[in-house]
Amino acid sequence: MGTSKQLILGASASLVILSGAQAADLPVKAKPVEYVRICSPYGAGFFFIPGTDTCIKIGGYLRVDTTFNGGAHGAPAWNSDLGQQNRYRDYFVSRSRLALTVDTRTATEYGVVRTFGQGDFQFNNIGGGSANPTLAFSSNSLSTAGGGYVAVEYLFIQFAGFTFGKSASAYATPWQGFPGNINSSLLGGQNTDTGVNNIQYTFEFGNGVSASIGLDDPTVWDRTAVYNLSIPSAIGANGTGSNAYAGTHAPDIVGRIRVDQAWGLFQVSAAAHEISGSYNSLGAGGAPTNLSEISGHPDTKWGGAVMAGLQIKNIPTGAGDDIKVDASYAKGATKYVIATSGTSPSFAMFGGSDSAYQSVGFGATTDGVYMPGAAGTGGIALTTAWGVRGAFNHNWDPYWSSSLFGSYSAVRYDGGANDNLLGAGTTSAKGAYCAAFAASHPGQALVGNAAGAYTCNPDFNVSQLGANLRWTPVKNLTFSGEVQWIHLDQKMSGSSVFTATAPKPSALYEFKDQDTFLLQVRAQRNF
């Protein structure tokens, strides 16, 4: 009995072990593998995000720039330490940038839903004379050893003809401020090449004809400055004043009509821009005081800008050659003419002189100026600006190409230099500016011929002419070299003894037109 029981139990255990081993050997059904699928409707580089009907493309570029006698990305030596040519200026500045873009597209019953974003991981030596320890903090200060910073460019959603987010203005041309140049400081027209917060709608009529209307946030891209010329030291040693713009009350209203055909492109753009001052009574540097709120303020005004842009393709000089040109006019919206990829520059350039310690050229960039009071300007006097820029782009062969580009810009203040001396009624923008300028630059006279005497006129012109050469030895890898000449045609004449911005001494300076050059070289790999 006991022996039989043991045999039965042993056989049962063997069966359990055998069945377990067989179960372990059975094949397990693998989960299905979803391979990445190419998404062809939107062009090369798109693929489906696994498990979705959304297509995505990841791209960008790596770029290395070095600018000689200029700031990062080709900013000329037209102000600050570079303009002064002092010992704080850097003879060259280099910047390395990795731009990453993410582009998604999803087909819907309303059309394609698109999102796009670009982040720039970059590092540069401080540049532009920022070795001066008195200069304020900027993003460039993060370019320490092992440091760097991230700049954000386009970030937008497109849906059913609408665009929401940080994108190019509806006012802009497709080439922005780059008809053929690689530097970001070709003046003469509008530039929103890294995006402005906006809402816009584009309607396609067909046959390449479209119309766009938008609301742009003016705070960063569309403002220069408003000067209150009654404050202490309203115009400083370098011919510029403190910004007295009020807060943002309204967006810029922008729009364009565009015709895009095989022969090229033509468009007309327009913008309405609000100009508003903070208070009539302000302290030094434009800072508010306890009397500011009860002092009143100038009435808000509206100005604006118009632009016409033209591209001509298929010209006889070669395959792929083209000409791009745009012309702009602005009243109270100077950033639409004196525009870069950053802020609009004011100009303070120093050079040699045979009759004084040095020569100097000034150019103050504003949307308007005002001087409160019975003999003041009667509100904000709007600044006028106009410009034209363009380029001829030529392909020598599949590996070599070049561009010849240039621009001309003008800024004008209404009235005459001595309007403030009339003693009755209101003065003009030019009269108010020159009265404030005389407070820090003695010797203003009707005729500025003698040493220490000058005539005042804040108007100025800026001319730019440049050329570049590009070599593309393999696809998506390009080496570029660009040279540019910049001429400041300022309208002051004569000379004055004044205390220039440190480290310049208090000395006799001759008012004179100024010139500068820059050289920029670049290596860029697109992917």
Side-chain angles (χ1 to χ4, degrees), residues 118 147 217 220 262 285 332 336 341-342 424 434 440 475 521:
Q118 178 175 329
D217 183 344
V220 175
Y336 285 82
S341 288
C434 289
S440 54
K475 185 179 180 180
V521 292

Side-chain angles (χ1 to χ4, degrees), residues 425-472:
T426 59
T427 187
S428 64
K430 193 169 291 181
Y433 177 93
C434 289
F437 188 85
S440 54
H441 301 79
Q444 186 173 152
L446 293 176
V447 179
N449 293 323
Y454 68 95
T455 57
C456 175
N457 186 344
D459 297 344
F460 65 92
N461 308 317
V462 181
S463 303
Q464 296 172 270
L465 183 64
N468 60 43
L469 181 65
R470 298 177 291 270
W471 177 46
T472 305

Side-chain angles (χ1 to χ4, degrees), residues 259-320:
V259 179
D260 197 340
Q261 303 287 339
W263 57 263
L265 174 150
F266 176 74
Q267 77 170 57
V268 177
S269 305
H273 174 72
E274 183 200 47
I275 307 96
S276 56
S278 56
Y279 292 105
N280 289 334
S281 178
L282 297 170
T289 70
N290 291 340
L291 299 177
S292 293
E293 193 167 286
I294 61 175
S295 68
H297 59 81
D299 291 338
T300 294
K301 288 189 175 182
W302 281 84
V306 292
M307 176 178 65
L310 175 67
Q311 178 186 19
I312 303 175
K313 302 178 183 178
N314 304 318
I315 57 180
T317 54

Side-chain angles (χ1 to χ4, degrees), residues 115-162:
T115 65
F116 184 89
Q118 178 175 329
D120 298 338
F121 299 81
Q122 53 195 34
F123 177 89
N124 53 268
N125 57 309
I126 294 176
S130 298
N132 189 334
T134 64
L135 295 183
F137 173 85
S138 70
S139 60
N140 289 338
S141 302
L142 298 175
S143 294
T144 57
Y149 58 100
V150 178
V152 178
E153 294 199 24
Y154 296 130
L155 293 171
F156 60 81
I157 300 170
Q158 289 181 322
F159 173 69
F162 287 92

Side-chain angles (χ1 to χ4, degrees), residues 6 8 99 169 204 209 212 222 267 284 318 448 505 527:
Q6 289 176 352
I8 294 171
S169 171
E204 301 287 348
V209 181
S212 299
D222 299 327
Q267 77 170 57
F527 56 86

Side-chain angles (χ1 to χ4, degrees), residues 377-443:
T377 54
I380 301 175
L382 302 183
T383 305
T384 301
W386 61 270
V388 59
R389 64 188 174 190
F392 164 58
N393 303 293
H394 176 59
N395 296 286
W396 298 94
D397 60 33
Y399 307 101
W400 293 91
S401 63
S402 62
S403 297
L404 179 65
F405 60 89
S407 73
Y408 185 86
S409 310
V411 174
R412 296 289 183 266
Y413 293 84
D414 294 340
N418 298 302
D419 290 348
N420 64 298
L421 303 177
L422 297 178
T426 59
T427 187
S428 64
K430 193 169 291 181
Y433 177 93
C434 289
F437 188 85
S440 54
H441 301 79

Side-chain angles (χ1 to χ4, degrees), residues 81-155:
D81 293 314
L82 280 167
Q84 284 197 6
Q85 303 184 52
N86 63 45
R87 291 284 296 171
Y88 288 110
R89 80 188 193 276
D90 293 323
Y91 285 26
F92 67 92
V93 57
S94 296
R95 184 176 72 182
S96 299
R97 168 190 284 183
L98 172 63
L100 289 178
T101 62
V102 179
D103 191 346
T104 72
R105 316 279 180 97
T106 305
T108 75
E109 59 184 307
Y110 298 98
V112 176
V113 177
R114 182 190 184 196
T115 65
F116 184 89
Q118 178 175 329
D120 298 338
F121 299 81
Q122 53 195 34
F123 177 89
N124 53 268
N125 57 309
I126 294 176
S130 298
N132 189 334
T134 64
L135 295 183
F137 173 85
S138 70
S139 60
N140 289 338
S141 302
L142 298 175
S143 294
T144 57
Y149 58 100
V150 178
V152 178
E153 294 199 24
Y154 296 130
L155 293 171

